[in-house]
Amino acid sequence: MGKELNIKVKTKFASKISKGFPLVIKESIANSHVLQEEGSIMRLVDENNRFLAKGYYGKQNKGYGWVLTQSENETIDQTFFNGKIRAAVEFRKNYFEDPESTAFRLFNGEGDGVGGLIIDHYDGHYVISWYSKGIYSFKDTIIKALQDTVEVKSIYQKKRFDTKGQYVDEDDFVMGEQPAFPLLVKENGVQFAVYLNDGAMVGVFLDQRDVRRKIRDEYAKGKTVLNMFSYTGAFSVFAALGGAVKTTSVDLANRSLPKTVEQFSVNGIDPETQNIVVMDVFKYFKYAVKKALKFDMVILDPPSFAKSKKFTFSAGKDYTNLLKDTIAITEDNGVIIASTNCSTFDMKKFKSFIDAAFREMNGKYEIIEEFSLPTDFKTVSEYKEGNYLKVVFIKKIKG
Ligand code: SAH
C-alpha cells in the first residue's frame, strides 16, 4: 500500500467530509503539492489538524480521490478491501440467488465504500472498471479480495483513466478461464449476448434492468415501438417479447446493426420481422415526419454528450429539443420513455425539460412512471450525484 500523507482540508469543505461526503474535490485541499504518487493514502485533517477521514489519492474528473474510512485506526489493507467486497456481496444476495438474472453490478464505487471502483458480474465472470491510476494501484489487493469472497470464473478489466493522453483498453483479460464470446447472460429470463473483451461497452447497460422489465410486462403489448439511440437493441428485445407489434431501433453506429440482430436472434425473435436502422436519430426524426410515421411508444436513451457529423447533442442543453422532435411523432395517448444518465442535472431539472418541451409544442402530458438506479447500483445519500439515472414514462395526452 502507498504511504500515508497528511492532507489539509480547507475549513469550508471539512464539515462536508465529516458528514460523509465521499469525494475529495481538488479545491478542498490546501496542500495539494504533497500529493505526488496516485494510490497514496491521504490522511485528511482540518486546518486545526483534527482527523477527518482517510482516503486514497486518484485523479478522476473533478476529484482528487475518495474517502475510504472515517475511523482513524482503520488501515487500508487486504482486510479492508475484503470487508468491502464481502459487504457488497452480502447486499446483493438476492441477485446471486436469482437464476433468471445472471448479470448485475456487484460493486458500485462510492455506493459500496470505494469510489472509482466498479465491478460487474456476468454469470460468474467479472469485469472490473478502474477509474483512476490511484485505484488501479490497489489492483492486486482488490482482485485477491474478490477471489477470497466469491467464486470467480474469470476477470476482465477496463482502465477508464487517462494513460499518457489516451484511454487504453488493451489487456482486458486478467485471469481465469476465458468464456467463449458471446457470453450469454440472462436478465429476467431474457438472454443477452455480451462481449467482456470488447472495449468499454460490453453489449448491455445493466442499470436499465427495471425499466426494460416494465416495458415488457406492462407497456409493450400491441404497440408500435421506436427505440432511439438503441445500441444493441436491448429495449427493443424486451418490447418485442412483451408483444409489441413492431420495433424500430435507430442508432448511428454501424456495429449496432449486427449486434441488434444478434440480441433478437438469441431470444428466438426473427430480426427480419423488426426494423433496425443505422442512422443519425436527428435525420430519422425528419424522415419520420416526411413519411408521416407515428409511434405508440418512443424510447429516448441518448448519451450525455454526443457528436455526429451534423449534430452535437448535450443532454443538459438539448434534451428539450429532442423531446419536441419526439412529441411530433408520438401518437395521442402514446408513451414517451425519456431517459438520461447525465449527472450534471437532477430529476427536477429533467422534468423541467419535459415540461418545456410539451409547453412549446402546445401539448398535454402526464408522468406515469419514474425510475432511478436499480438496487444493485448502490448509492449513498451523501453523494446524490452518484444516482445519475433518471427515467420518466410520459403519456402524451390529446390536447
Ligand atoms: N439505449 C441503449 C444505450 C444507448 S448508448 C441501450 O439500452 O442499450 C448510446 C448510443 O447512442 C450509442 O450506441 C451511440 O452509437 C448512439 N448515438 C450517439 N449519437 C447518436 C445519434 N446522433 N444518432 C443515433 N445514435 C447515436
Side-chain angles (χ1 to χ4, degrees):
M1 301 291 131
K3 58 177 180 204
E4 271 191 32
L5 302 167
N6 260 326
I7 299 300
K8 273 211 162 80
V9 176
K10 294 180 192 160
T11 307
K12 214 170 106 190
F13 301 92
S15 73
K16 228 179 152 184
I17 298 266
S18 298
K19 284 185 196 132
F21 187 73
L23 182 64
V24 183
I25 60 169
K26 185 180 172 193
E27 296 72 34
S28 70
I29 304 176
N31 58 340
S32 58
H33 63 276
V34 303
L35 288 170
Q36 301 206 338
E37 205 182 324
E38 287 199 37
S40 301
I41 299 299
M42 306 189 283
R43 192 175 171 279
L44 303 166
V45 296
D46 68 12
E47 302 215 77
N48 299 317
N49 262 322
R50 271 189 303 243
F51 176 83
L52 295 167
K54 277 188 205 178
Y56 74 88
Y57 171 42
K59 283 192 193 165
Q60 183 186 336
N61 305 333
K62 285 185 301 172
Y64 259 31
W66 294 93
V67 169
L68 295 172
T69 178
Q70 292 197 330
S71 70
E72 188 160 16
N73 42 27
E74 188 165 24
T75 46
I76 308 308
D77 54 11
Q78 188 70 57
T79 309
F80 172 84
F81 285 108
N82 279 49
K84 292 292 172 208
I85 301 275
R86 205 178 316 117
V89 170
E90 186 63 28
F91 184 78
R92 290 153 181 90
K93 231 175 148 170
N94 296 344
Y95 286 90
F96 277 101
E97 285 166 3
D98 179 3
E100 294 306 308
S101 292
T102 58
F104 54 88
R105 180 150 293 186
L106 175 74
F107 200 95
N108 196 41
E110 73 287 347
D112 284 290
V114 184
L117 172 67
I118 302 282
I119 308 177
D120 289 321
H121 167 267
Y122 300 92
D123 198 19
H125 301 274
Y126 288 86
V127 176
I128 306 179
S129 300
W130 313 101
Y131 280 86
S132 69
K133 217 192 251 180
I135 192 64
Y136 186 66
S137 74
F138 297 99
K139 177 182 171 181
D140 294 344
T141 315
I142 289 168
I143 286 177
K144 181 165 176 355
L146 184 63
Q147 287 176 304
D148 285 350
T149 314
V150 289
E151 212 178 297
V152 173
K153 290 183 191 159
S154 76
I155 298 177
Y156 288 78
Q157 69 179 1
K158 313 286 173 196
K159 291 186 201 162
R160 309 291 290 263
F161 55 90
D162 201 4
T163 43
K164 294 191 199 87
Q166 254 191 327
Y167 287 87
V168 284
D169 267 316
E170 61 204 26
D171 302 331
D172 269 8
F173 177 64
V174 180
M175 54 102 10
E177 186 88 29
Q178 299 207 49
F181 292 119
L183 171 68
L184 291 182
V185 295
K186 269 204 256 179
E187 178 185 288
N188 292 308
V190 178
Q191 309 250 43
F192 281 128
V194 297
Y195 297 80
L196 308 184
N197 59 347
D198 190 24
M201 306 201 289
V202 305
V204 61
F205 290 98
L206 300 174
D207 55 2
Q208 298 277 11
R209 181 189 308 111
D210 297 345
V211 180
R212 285 189 283 262
R213 176 160 61 182
K214 196 72 167 183
I215 289 171
R216 179 191 62 186
D217 295 352
E218 295 178 35
Y219 284 90
K221 199 168 173 136
K223 304 292 197 254
T224 54
V225 176
L226 176 63
N227 180 8
M228 295 298 235
F229 307 93
S230 57
Y231 183 40
T232 63
F235 285 121
S236 308
V237 170
F238 269 72
L241 290 170
V245 183
K246 187 169 191 158
T247 67
T248 298
S249 306
V250 183
D251 196 292
L252 183 66
N254 287 320
R255 59 156 197 249
S256 67
L257 175 60
K259 288 201 176 274
T260 305
V261 165
E262 181 174 49
Q263 299 298 22
F264 278 121
S265 304
V266 297
N267 286 291
I269 300 163
D270 180 358
E272 295 290 322
T273 62
Q274 310 296 319
N275 193 10
I276 306 167
V277 185
V278 176
M279 198 188 277
D280 195 313
V281 297
F282 299 103
K283 216 170 143 192
Y284 190 84
F285 280 122
K286 293 205 177 103
Y287 166 84
V289 168
K290 208 168 92 194
K291 298 273 171 184
L293 298 179
K294 283 202 166 187
F295 299 86
D296 299 319
M297 184 194 291
V298 183
I299 301 159
L300 294 175
D301 183 26
S304 298
F305 190 82
K307 214 176 158 166
S308 62
K309 267 183 221 133
K310 269 202 170 154
F311 305 93
T312 318
F313 176 82
S314 149
K317 286 204 207 97
D318 303 319
Y319 215 110
T320 299
N321 282 334
L322 178 65
L323 280 163
K324 284 167 73 178
D325 286 341
T326 305
I327 292 164
I329 61 166
T330 303
E331 296 278 11
D332 286 335
N333 298 316
V335 174
I336 297 168
I337 298 176
S339 172
T340 181
N341 55 14
C342 189
S343 57
T344 60
F345 57 86
D346 61 7
M347 185 58 115
K348 197 171 158 216
K349 185 89 184 257
F350 192 38
K351 285 185 179 168
S352 79
F353 296 158
I354 295 168
D355 195 65
F358 276 92
R359 229 178 324 109
E360 288 169 33
M361 294 292 284
N362 291 315
K364 277 200 199 157
Y365 71 100
E366 188 191 336
I367 289 178
I368 49 179
E369 308 273 357
E370 280 177 44
F371 289 85
S372 56
L373 287 173
T375 53
D376 51 331
F377 285 63
K378 192 168 188 266
T379 55
V380 284
S381 57
E382 293 86 358
Y383 190 68
K384 296 254 184 293
E385 301 90 318
N387 197 347
Y388 57 83
L389 186 68
K390 296 165 276 290
V391 185
V392 182
F393 287 34
I394 313 153
K395 188 168 180 181
K396 178 183 170 181
I397 295 172
K398 195 167 184 256

